C-alpha cells in the first residue's frame, strides 16, 4: 500500500468515526426526547443541531471567554514543557539526580487536579496565575517521563562512536541524544495539551471571574434556559483540546520526519 493510499484510507476512517459519533449523539438525544419531556431530555443530552445553533448564537461570548482559557492554558503548557524538558535533560546527565528527583516528581502527581486547584487558587488569589500554574503542573510530568525515555533510547553504538571520535557532551546531545528524545517529547506534549486546557477550566470552576468554566457554572445556574450555552462550552472545550493535539501532531510530523509512521512504505513516494 502506498503512503498516499494509506493517508486516504486513514482520512476515510476519521470521517467515518466522526459521522458515527454525530449519528450516535443525535440518536441518543432522539430516544431521550421520546422518553422524557423536552426540558428534561435537553438537560441530559440536547440535539447536536441545537448545540451548534447555540455555538453560533453565543459565538462572541464563547470566543472571548475561550481565548482567556486557552491563553492561560497555553502559557502554562509552554512553561511546564520547558520545565519538564530541562529536568529531563538534567536527570539524563546525572543518574544521582534522576534517583533523587524521581520520587518527588512521581509523588507530585498523586494529588488530583480537582483537589489541588482550590488550594492553589486560595493561596495565589489570582485566577490568571492559578490557571497558568495548574496547566504547568499537569504538563511537566508527562514531558519528563517521555522525554527521559527518549533520551535513554539513543543507540549505544552511536554514542560510543561519538565518544571514540572525541565528541564533547554538548555535541553528543545536539547530534544524537536530543533528536532521539524528540518523539518522546512530542508524545508527552500530545498527552499534556488537552490536560492543560482541562486544568484551566477546573480552576475557573472554583470562582474565577472569566473563562469557559465560568460560563459552565453560570449556565448550570439558570437550568434549562441556558442548556444550549452549557453544551456549547463543552463542545468548544473539546474543540480546543483537539486543535491543540492536532497542531502538536503536525509539528511532530514536520520536525521528526524520520519516524517510521511518517515515512513512505514499500518504497513508494508520498
Amino acid at each position: 500500500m502506498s503512503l498516499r493510499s494509506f493517508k486516504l484510507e486513514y482520512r476515510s476512517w476519521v470521517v467515518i468515526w466522526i459521522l458515527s459519533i454525530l449519528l450516535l449523539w443525535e440518536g441518543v438525544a432522539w430516544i431521550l426526547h421520546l422518553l422524557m419531556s423536552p426540558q428534561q431530555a435537553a438537560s441530559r443530552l440536547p440535539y447536536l443541531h441545537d448545540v451548534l445553533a447555540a455555538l453560533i448564537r453565543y459565538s462572541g461570548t464563547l470566543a472571548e471567554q475561550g481565548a482567556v482559557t486557552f491563553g492561560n492554558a497555553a502559557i502554562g503548557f509552554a512553561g511546564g514543557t520547558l520545565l519538564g524538558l530541562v529536568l529531563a535533560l538534567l536527570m539524563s546527565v546525572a543518574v544521582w539526580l534522576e534517583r533523587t528527583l524521581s520520587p518527588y516528581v512521581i509523588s507530585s502527581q498523586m494529588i488530583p487536579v480537582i483537589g489541588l486547584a482550590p488550594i492553589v487558587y486560595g493561596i495565589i488569589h489570582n485566577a490568571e496565575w492559578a490557571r497558568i500554574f495548574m496547566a504547568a503542573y499537569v504538563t511537566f510530568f508527562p514531558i519528563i517521563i517521555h522525554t527521559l525515555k527518549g533520551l535513554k533510547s539513543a543507540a549505544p553504538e552511536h554514542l560510543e562512536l561519538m565518544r571514540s571520535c572525541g565528541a564533547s557532551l554538548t555535541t553528543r546531545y545536539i547530534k544524537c541524544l536530543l533528536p532521539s528524545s524528540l518523539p518522546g517529547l512530542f508524545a508527552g506534549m500530545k498527552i499534556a495539551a488537552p490536560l492543560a486546557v482541562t486544568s484551566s477550566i477546573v480552576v475557573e470552576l472554583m470562582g474565577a471571574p472569566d473563562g469557559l468554566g465560568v460560563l459552565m457554572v453560570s449556565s448550570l445556574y439558570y437550568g434549562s434556559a441556558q442548556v444550549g450555552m452549557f453544551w456549547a462550552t463543552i463542545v468548544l472545550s473539546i474543540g480546543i483540546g483537539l486543535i491543540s493535539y492536532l497542531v502538536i501532531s503536525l509539528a511532530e510530523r514536520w520536525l521528526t520526519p524520520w519516524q517510521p509512521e511518517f515515512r513512505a512504505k514499500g518504497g513508494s513516494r508520498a
Side-chain angles (χ1 to χ4, degrees), residues 31-150:
I31 294 174
L32 290 176
H33 278 74
L34 289 178
L35 300 176
M36 306 175 184
S37 65
Q39 292 79 11
Q40 289 178 324
S43 64
R44 286 163 174 78
L45 185 66
Y47 284 118
L48 181 59
H49 61 265
D50 291 335
V51 176
L52 296 178
L55 276 170
I56 298 173
R57 188 183 314 121
Y58 303 116
S59 59
T61 301
L62 290 169
E64 179 182 356
Q65 301 304 315
V68 172
T69 299
F70 178 75
N72 289 308
I75 295 173
F77 173 76
T81 299
L82 180 60
L83 175 63
L85 178 59
V86 170
L87 288 176
L89 290 172
L90 292 175
M91 292 164 71
S92 69
V93 172
V95 177
W96 67 267
L97 188 60
E98 179 184 358
R99 293 173 179 172
T100 302
L101 293 181
S102 291
Y104 296 102
V105 170
I106 296 173
S107 61
S108 69
Q109 301 301 303
M110 298 298 105
I111 307 174
V113 173
I114 193 66
L116 184 61
I119 297 175
V120 171
Y121 188 39
I123 294 174
I124 298 178
H125 291 295
N126 184 292
E128 183 175 357
W129 282 106
R131 283 179 287 210
I132 292 173
F133 178 88
M134 289 303 303
Y137 167 78
V138 300
T139 297
F140 87 96
F141 181 73
I143 297 297
I144 289 178
I145 297 299
H146 288 275
T147 303
L148 190 58
K149 181 179 179 181

Side-chain angles (χ1 to χ4, degrees), residues 237-261:
S237 302
I238 296 173
I240 292 174
L242 286 175
I243 291 173
S244 302
Y245 181 91
L246 291 175
V247 168
I248 294 171
S249 298
L250 290 174
E252 180 186 18
R253 178 180 291 271
W254 179 52
L255 293 174
T256 60
W258 63 83
Q259 293 194 69
E261 61 266 31

Side-chain angles (χ1 to χ4, degrees), residues 18-30:
I18 293 175
L19 290 177
S20 300
I21 293 295
L22 299 181
L23 290 174
L24 179 63
W25 184 327
E26 287 286 276
V28 173
W30 178 71

Side-chain angles (χ1 to χ4, degrees), residues 37-44 46 50 54 57-58 218-231:
S37 65
Q39 292 79 11
Q40 289 178 324
S43 64
R44 286 163 174 78
D50 291 335
R57 188 183 314 121
Y58 303 116
S218 61
S219 59
L220 285 174
Y221 177 79
Y222 289 103
S224 59
Q226 288 292 321
V227 67
M229 170 66 85
F230 174 77
W231 281 95

